[in-house]
Every structure is written in structure tokens, then in C-alpha cells.
Amino acid sequence: MEWEPISEADLWSKIIGAEDRMSPRILRLWEAIKVRPQKWAEQTYGTVGGGFWVVAIMGNKVIWFNDIEDGFNCSPYVFFGRLDEYFCNQDELEVAVQDVLTIIETGSGSIARCSAPLPGEWKSR
């Protein structure tokens, strides 16, 4: 089966489900940073699907949905409309928003970032 980008309707289903699971504290932050989903460009893996859906903006970071890996990520940006870093975490939205709160409170995130595949030969043991 070939991969297809997530539809905006299916993305909204994920967002609404996450909102139902958010604590009141996380939901208040979410309400302050969320935006109507919009496709942003990403040069390494985002061209096939026409970009990735950004769902929140705060300062120089965005929360976006990686529909290749089926998870939300937080990445920096310099130019509006273009993601600067690709991550392939498979986090639920409420986890990504919690990480933003951790960044606000402590100055650094608490989620390990899963990078894109690295080129090279895979070796089994």
C-alpha cells in the first residue's frame, strides 16, 4: 500500500481526540498557541505530500503533524511557512503541547527527538 498524506478532516479528528485527553493546564496553553491547520514546506521529506500540517505556533517554534510517521513534533522555524528541522517522533498532540510547557517552564524540552533516517549501509548483528 502506498503512503498518502493525511486529509485535513482526519487531522481534525486527531486534534479533537487530543483535546479531549488534555489536562486543563495543557488545554489552556493549547488554546493560546493553536492555529488553523496549514501546510508548511519541509525540504527533506515534505515535498511528496505538499508539506506538513502545522497546528500551533509559539515564538520561533511550531507544532506540526508528521503524517509519514503518524505523530506530532515541535520544530524551530526562521521563515514563516517553512520548517527548519525534520523529526519523526510519533507523539500524540497533548505530549507535544506538554513539551512546549516544559520548554516555557525550564528552558529546554523533555522529549527526545527522533531524527530522519541516516544514509548508509544497515548492518545486522
Side-chain angles (χ1 to χ4, degrees):
M1 186 168 135
E2 191 171 312
W3 172 82
E4 290 186 26
I6 190 170
S7 68
E8 186 174 357
D10 288 342
L11 178 64
W12 274 110
S13 293
K14 288 184 175 292
I15 292 169
I16 291 166
E19 289 174 340
D20 289 342
R21 295 185 301 269
M22 289 179 186
S23 70
R25 186 171 182 218
I26 297 302
L27 185 59
R28 283 192 302 273
L29 176 58
W30 169 246
E31 291 293 330
I33 64 174
K34 72 179 181 178
V35 296
R36 180 175 179 84
Q38 51 195 265
K39 286 272 188 140
W40 279 32
E42 194 284 321
Q43 298 305 311
T44 54
Y45 296 95
T47 56
V48 174
F52 292 108
W53 290 104
V54 166
V55 298
I57 302 172
M58 54 280 150
N60 68 341
K61 296 188 183 308
V62 294
I63 295 177
W64 58 282
F65 184 71
N66 182 335
D67 48 349
I68 297 170
E69 296 291 336
D70 194 34
F72 289 89
N73 299 275
C74 183
S75 293
Y77 76 96
V78 174
F79 299 103
F80 189 87
R82 188 177 79 207
L83 297 170
D84 284 347
E85 291 181 336
Y86 176 90
F87 293 112
C88 55
N89 288 22
Q90 296 173 331
D91 296 329
E92 297 294 338
L93 177 58
E94 63 272 23
V95 173
V97 177
Q98 173 63 58
D99 192 48
V100 169
L101 182 59
T102 301
I103 292 168
I104 291 168
E105 292 177 341
T106 68
S108 62
S110 61
I111 295 177
R113 303 287 183 223
C114 299
S115 68
L118 300 173
E121 185 176 322
W122 183 77
K123 298 177 184 178
S124 64
R125 292 183 178 206

